[in-house]
Amino acid sequence: MTENSPAPTSAPADSEQLHVFTTIDEVGSIEGRAFGPSTWRAIPQEDIDLYAQLSGDDNPIHVDAEAAAKSPFGGRIAHGMLTLSMVVPHLREIYKVSGTSTGIVYGFNKIRFPNAVPSGASIRVRGTVAKVEEIPGGWQVTLALVFEVEGATKPAVAAELVLRHYK
């Protein structure tokens, strides 16, 4: 059964948390459903440094405190792609399709980074099921996602994530 109900008492006090939890047999009925926000999760400098090392993106804006302090951001910021990659732990809280044999990230239709995430800042995710399409062996679901930065008016990321859920 599709569930889009208030979260347990651990939901953030400033908003109602909605979930989209459904089964592979009922995923065709979730188009248009809103979900989130997830809980806040910090992106500490240690994660930014590790991502820089793993990805090879060692732009000073991410890893050099002195250089970043002179930038328009006034300090080090998380990589946009690091922020985007945090989608998995956030979605696990607020979106789930059970009864699948497997699920994959098929890709992204659109990605924008309208705001920086300062080192140590917290982000959360909310979204809407934008489109559901039947595909051979399962469903393709497009989620319109927004990554919010705690205390900021503009989101860090706006993206359309395309998932495939197989029977």
Side-chain angles (χ1 to χ4, degrees), residues 58-123:
D58 60 358
N59 183 323
I61 194 69
H62 304 302
V63 297
D64 184 328
E66 187 176 316
K70 297 175 187 172
S71 77
F73 303 104
R76 293 176 290 184
I77 61 171
H79 305 73
M81 296 303 288
L82 169 60
T83 303
L84 183 63
S85 74
M86 299 301 293
V87 71
V88 173
H90 290 280
L91 279 185
R92 283 186 177 155
E93 295 178 19
I94 55 179
Y95 174 87
K96 184 185 314 181
V97 177
S98 59
T100 63
S101 65
T102 193
I104 62 167
V105 172
Y106 187 68
F108 287 90
N109 289 335
K110 298 176 186 176
I111 304 170
R112 297 290 183 268
F113 302 102
N115 196 13
V117 178
S119 174
S122 293
I123 61 169

Side-chain angles (χ1 to χ4, degrees), residues 4-8 10-12 15-19 35-39 93-94:
N4 203 7
S5 59
S10 62
S15 64
E16 182 178 336
Q17 186 179 39
L18 302 174
H19 298 98
F35 54 92
S38 63
T39 56
E93 295 178 19
I94 55 179

